[in-house]
Amino acid sequence: MTTRFYLSFETLPGTPRHALSRGVIIGSEVGDIVIKGNKTISPRHCTISVQDDVLALVDHGSEFGTFVNNKKVTAGKTYLINSKDFLVIGDTPVKIEREGDSITLEEAKVVVKEAEKVTKQYLRKIEHDLHVLEEVEPPEQVKRVGGVWAIFRMLSVIIDALTALIVHTLLNPYVDYKNFLKQTEIAINLKLLPLIEQSEVFEDIITELTPYYRYLILYVIIRLATGFLLGVTWGQYLIGMRNFSSFWWGRIASIIQTLLGLVLGPFIVFDLPSLFMKRTFKEWVTYSVVELQTKYHALVGVVVFLPLIIFLTLASPLFQGFEVIKKVPFITKEIPVLTEVKVLGENKSDFFKFSSKIHEDLEILSFFELVQGKDSKKIIPYLQIIDKQDSSKISFNLFKNFSFNKLLIIDNEMNPFFRKSYPITNEFIHDIGRINKNFTNKRWTESTKLRLNEEIENVFKKSFSLDMSTLGHFIQENGPFIKGYVEFREAVLYMLDYPDITEINVVRLGNTRFFRFIEDNRAANLRHYLIPINAEHGVIYRVTFDSRNFVKSFYDKFLTLTQWNFNEDKLKSTSLNSGLQSKANNVYDQIDFTMNKNLGYEKRFALNEFTFNYLYEKAVGYLQENKTDMLTLLTSSTRSYIQVLTLLSEDDSIEETQKKLNQTLQKNLSDMLEALEKKNLMFFGLELREGKK
């Protein structure tokens, strides 16, 4: 017996009738039955097959769907149907007709048994594909707006680009990640070098793209990885698009499409076909179909996922290195100035940029630390200030110099609202003339400088007050571009060598306002970092306390009595004075450094004849008063002088006359150091003086 099935399209012109063979593909562009001019039928819409008189239907992810008895089938699933079922493909009804020879009752029973057997086998084979049909009304004819596919594809590209930016922000603090990007950039440039050498236009294009290499690399990696895993890119997946090609070919085609897009150029140029039809140029080349799954998926993608990705892009700077940024308390504090102070004289230092009254309770000694760099040694002067009452002491050094211009430009470049929020600072950053002379001309008046310093103070406050709890209020006041503030904060902490800052104060010390960063590490000494709010030049002082009890005393007896001088012209000079100029004998005004290629930083170290006398008199006084702690510090100070002189004796660039003076001083200081270590009172003439008495 022979049974034949036919598909009848009664609503189409001519009422076409097609014989149903083992498998018939129906579509608007490809297939055994091509129905042109109907926008509800996809290019490759569905397949109806027959085997041993058993009919099966598969929808290939069509836009407007396929319906069986008014129930929409799920794309990619296989459904058993029969000749009594009513089919609708898109908006086109299809009738299944069956024709066969007449048979006897006995023959019919045999056929039924065979059919049941075949059906059971077929059901077992596709049991995992069976799906309960959802009852949906067949759609009416829908006219698709031209260019809608291009819009969704552009949105998917935006999501991929924003995702690359998020990943870069999270991974940027890691050294391995930065090295990976650097090596990849080098490899790309080497590959492109032949093209660059042949074409000036191509060279200009590469030059313009170079700053964005890191983002482009991540963008391509994300599209390649998600294309292989999902068959579509990450952005396409979130926007509701799916690849309706075969499983493996869909994934291979997605990778090929990404590589084609990278080679051919901008999306909007080479995907123009999507403005007029459902497929792009790259999909035509790879013979693949990427379409929206349903309008509901697209709605969720646009309404939910796109805003979510935008929010994560804006908030991601708060999670750099997968660590949540914490707000640091920013408090303005008033430190009262002592009105009745007994002073012994005045200290002045061009290197430390201050002049300060000498409080009678304090003793100040100058030290030098030698730091071995990669190719040179660096001499770092610092002061030790000792409280005579309880022997508490602090180390005070000029930690770093920096440029406020370069620091502020970080926020300026990443924040479109910076110019409006900080107009004076924006002018300061972009005023090329200011770098040479404008801070001394009439345009940069004292009142303008004061407003500039107030704006800088505001940038610091906002950068360190930002965290997740204040994000909403921060965006409402300052706009959504928080990355500039976060990067500014990161740059400041980098300059401070990433201390554990627990509080930031704005304090007035003498004639200058300072940012005071407090590093309260319970396992180590308490440290304060002082940055004067002065845009003309950036300076960081580091103060290390050996006792928490000395903090208030140090500010009261030293810093509040200090006058600061940050004259830009003087700061440009390479010379420095190490420590303090005593009113009595000008002893500390003798130490001078200049640039030297051999040492890396310093060339000349000159000490005049007062140095030895000053240290000698200090030693005599401490010995007479039996100040053991001060003698220990003086011994260390003397030893640091000798170390510096020893280092500079090897420098051939120093003038011979000065070198001889240094050698004489080194010999005298070495003798004094030996006397201090051996408690040789005769060296200091103490026993002789007692005999005369």
Side-chain angles (χ1 to χ4, degrees):
M1 181 205 73
T2 302
T3 302
R4 293 181 180 178
F5 294 92
Y6 295 87
L7 300 180
S8 179
F9 298 84
E10 297 180 351
T11 60
L12 298 181
T15 314
R17 188 167 180 261
H18 298 271
L20 186 59
S21 59
R22 292 183 63 87
V24 173
I25 299 174
I26 302 173
S28 62
E29 297 180 10
V30 295
D32 303 293
I33 301 175
V34 178
I35 303 174
K36 297 183 177 180
N38 190 330
K39 295 183 179 180
T40 66
I41 297 180
S42 298
R44 189 170 179 265
H45 197 105
C46 65
T47 296
I48 301 175
S49 59
V50 60
Q51 181 178 357
D52 297 328
D53 295 343
V54 177
L55 296 172
L57 168 69
V58 178
D59 183 275
H60 298 305
S62 59
E63 179 181 3
F64 295 102
T66 303
F67 300 81
V68 178
N69 300 327
N70 291 335
K71 297 176 182 178
K72 186 177 181 180
V73 303
T74 301
K77 303 294 183 179
T78 302
Y79 298 89
L80 296 181
I81 58 177
N82 58 59
S83 58
K84 296 181 180 180
D85 291 328
F86 176 69
L87 305 184
V88 177
I89 299 175
D91 66 348
T92 303
V94 180
K95 182 179 179 181
I96 303 175
E97 298 178 355
R98 175 174 176 168
E99 292 183 1
D101 300 331
S102 59
I103 56 175
T104 63
L105 180 60
E106 294 299 325
E107 289 176 336
K109 290 180 179 180
V110 173
V111 171
V112 169
K113 288 182 179 180
E114 289 295 327
E116 289 177 350
K117 181 179 179 181
V118 172
T119 301
K120 288 179 180 179
Q121 292 176 349
Y122 196 78
L123 284 173
R124 283 195 297 269
K125 179 180 178 182
I126 63 171
E127 185 176 1
H128 65 285
D129 288 333
L130 292 178
H131 189 274
V132 178
L133 299 177
E134 177 186 4
E135 195 165 57
V136 180
E137 292 295 328
E140 298 179 357
Q141 182 89 6
V142 178
K143 293 184 178 181
R144 179 170 57 84
V145 180
V148 66
W149 293 101
I151 294 173
F152 282 111
R153 293 176 191 279
M154 182 63 76
L155 290 177
S156 71
V157 170
I158 292 173
I159 290 176
D160 285 334
L162 293 179
T163 302
L165 184 59
I166 293 171
V167 173
H168 173 73
T169 302
L170 295 176
L171 297 180
N172 193 46
Y174 294 101
V175 176
D176 291 342
Y177 169 73
K178 292 180 178 178
N179 290 337
F180 165 74
L181 290 181
K182 186 176 181 180
Q183 294 300 323
T184 306
E185 289 177 15
I186 293 173
I188 292 174
N189 287 329
L190 289 175
K191 293 291 184 182
L192 297 177
L193 187 59
L195 294 175
I196 294 174
E197 293 175 347
Q198 295 177 8
S199 171
E200 292 184 2
V201 176
F202 193 79
E203 182 180 0
D204 293 338
I205 294 174
I206 295 300
T207 303
E208 291 295 326
L209 289 177
T210 298
Y212 307 101
Y213 267 4
R214 59 188 63 180
Y215 305 110
L216 183 61
I217 292 168
L218 275 179
Y219 173 77
V220 172
I221 291 175
I222 289 172
R223 288 181 73 92
L224 288 174
T226 55
F228 178 76
L229 294 174
L230 304 173
V232 290
T233 70
W234 173 245
Q236 290 172 341
Y237 185 82
L238 291 184
I239 215 71
M241 305 182 80
R242 299 294 183 268
N243 195 321
F244 293 110
S245 305
S246 63
F247 182 86
W248 285 112
W249 178 246
R251 280 148 177 78
I252 295 172
S254 180
I255 294 174
I256 296 174
Q257 290 165 20
T258 297
L259 296 177
L260 281 174
L262 180 65
V263 173
L264 294 178
F267 164 88
I268 196 169
V269 175
F270 292 96
D271 280 348
L272 279 178
S274 64
L275 292 173
F276 313 103
M277 58 187 68
K278 300 178 182 179
R279 301 168 77 181
T280 67
F281 169 78
K282 297 190 289 288
E283 288 169 23
W284 276 102
V285 172
T286 57
Y287 197 72
S288 60
V289 178
V290 177
E291 297 179 352
L292 285 171
Q293 193 171 12
T294 66
K295 61 182 179 181
Y296 303 106
H297 286 81
L299 181 64
V300 171
V302 173
V303 175
V304 178
F305 291 117
L306 181 59
L308 178 61
I309 291 294
I310 294 174
F311 171 78
L312 291 177
T313 303
L314 296 174
S316 60
L318 295 177
F319 305 93
Q320 291 187 118
F322 298 97
E323 294 182 0
V324 181
I325 289 180
K326 296 180 180 180
K327 178 174 62 175
V328 181
F330 207 106
I331 306 169
T332 299
K333 286 192 174 183
E334 294 295 333
I335 300 179
V337 180
L338 298 179
T339 55
E340 296 183 4
V341 182
K342 294 182 180 180
V343 297
L344 302 178
E346 184 175 349
N347 297 320
K348 181 181 179 181
S349 170
D350 289 337
F351 174 64
F352 289 107
K353 307 304 172 189
F354 67 66
S355 61
S356 178
K357 297 177 181 178
I358 306 174
H359 195 283
E360 64 175 353
D361 292 341
L362 301 182
E363 189 74 62
I364 303 175
L365 292 175
S366 181
F367 287 77
F368 302 94
E369 181 182 0
L370 299 181
V371 178
Q372 178 64 58
K374 184 178 180 181
D375 300 317
S376 63
K377 289 182 179 179
K378 186 176 182 181
I379 303 172
I380 303 177
Y382 67 96
L383 305 178
Q384 283 213 345
I385 304 173
I386 304 96
D387 192 327
K388 298 176 184 178
Q389 295 182 345
D390 60 5
S391 298
S392 298
K393 62 180 180 293
I394 64 101
S395 293
F396 182 88
N397 71 301
L398 197 161
F399 185 55
K400 286 180 182 177
N401 289 305
F402 69 94
S403 167
F404 261 114
N405 187 288
K406 292 181 180 179
L407 180 64
L408 291 166
I409 205 171
I410 296 172
D411 193 1
N412 177 265
E413 289 181 341
M414 299 183 181
N415 184 0
F417 299 117
F418 190 94
R419 174 178 295 184
K420 181 180 179 181
S421 302
Y422 312 103
I424 304 298
T425 307
N426 182 73
E427 184 180 358
F428 166 74
I429 292 172
H430 296 96
D431 183 7
I432 303 301
R434 178 207 58 77
I435 297 175
N436 297 321
K437 59 183 179 179
N438 277 16
F439 256 81
T440 60
N441 69 19
K442 296 180 179 180
R443 189 157 63 88
W444 285 98
T445 62
E446 289 303 319
S447 61
T448 305
K449 293 180 185 180
L450 182 61
R451 290 173 57 196
L452 172 61
N453 291 336
E454 289 174 352
E455 289 187 0
I456 291 174
E457 184 176 331
N458 203 21
V459 173
F460 270 82
K461 285 181 178 179
K462 290 182 178 181
S463 298
F464 283 90
S465 64
L466 178 61
D467 67 355
M468 280 301 297
S469 65
T470 61
L471 180 60
H473 180 70
F474 187 93
I475 291 177
Q476 185 178 1
E477 283 194 349
N478 306 286
F481 300 96
I482 68 171
K483 185 174 177 60
Y485 290 99
V486 175
E487 291 296 332
F488 177 87
R489 168 191 174 129
E490 184 72 9
V492 173
L493 293 177
Y494 172 79
M495 291 193 305
L496 302 179
D497 288 350
Y498 293 103
D500 185 15
I501 301 299
T502 58
E503 184 179 321
I504 303 173
N505 304 140
V506 176
V507 296
R508 175 170 287 279
L509 303 175
N511 61 337
T512 304
R513 287 166 62 84
F514 283 79
F515 296 116
R516 179 172 66 179
F517 293 77
I518 300 176
E519 180 188 13
D520 194 359
N521 188 346
R522 297 291 176 178
N525 293 329
L526 177 66
R527 279 181 177 171
H528 288 184
Y529 296 85
L530 300 173
I531 301 178
I533 307 175
N534 187 302
E536 296 179 57
H537 191 84
V539 181
I540 303 174
Y541 297 101
R542 183 169 68 182
V543 186
T544 305
F545 299 86
D546 74 338
S547 171
R548 298 175 187 275
N549 298 328
F550 191 30
V551 175
K552 185 177 184 304
S553 178
F554 169 70
Y555 280 91
D556 290 343
K557 298 177 181 179
F558 184 75
L559 289 182
T560 57
L561 305 178
T562 301
Q563 298 297 307
W564 307 86
N565 177 23
F566 300 106
N567 182 276
E568 189 175 32
D569 293 333
K570 287 188 177 181
L571 283 168
K572 286 182 178 179
S573 172
T574 56
S575 64
L576 60 87
N577 292 321
S578 77
L580 304 171
Q581 179 178 348
S582 170
K583 186 176 181 180
N585 54 19
N586 300 325
V587 61
Y588 280 114
D589 202 25
Q590 327 116 18
I591 304 166
D592 182 51
F593 297 87
T594 52
M595 301 301 292
N596 175 18
K597 61 181 181 181
N598 297 324
L599 294 176
Y601 295 89
E602 294 81 24
K603 174 182 178 183
R604 189 161 52 87
F605 183 79
L607 295 169
N608 65 24
E609 64 274 12
F610 293 110
T611 303
F612 176 77
N613 295 335
Y614 177 80
L615 295 175
Y616 182 89
E617 292 298 327
K618 284 286 185 184
V620 171
Y622 296 154
L623 286 169
Q624 287 177 332
E625 298 175 16
N626 196 26
K627 292 185 176 181
T628 307
D629 293 340
M630 294 305 301
L631 283 169
T632 302
L633 290 173
L634 182 63
T635 301
S636 299
S637 175
T638 305
R639 187 179 292 111
S640 71
Y641 273 85
I642 296 171
Q643 288 176 340
V644 173
L645 290 167
T646 302
L647 175 65
L648 296 176
S649 66
E650 303 170 0
D651 188 354
D652 296 332
S653 62
I654 297 179
E655 296 177 1
E656 193 63 30
T657 303
Q658 184 60 55
K659 184 175 287 189
K660 289 181 179 180
L661 292 174
N662 288 347
Q663 291 171 350
T664 301
L665 177 60
Q666 180 181 351
K667 176 65 170 63
N668 292 338
L669 289 177
S670 298
D671 292 341
M672 190 180 83
L673 178 63
E674 182 179 2
L676 285 171
E677 292 175 340
K678 294 182 177 181
K679 301 294 191 296
N680 183 358
L681 299 180
M682 292 184 64
F683 180 87
F684 300 98
L686 294 181
E687 292 184 354
L688 179 62
R689 290 178 185 177
E690 291 178 1
K692 286 183 178 181
K693 289 181 182 178

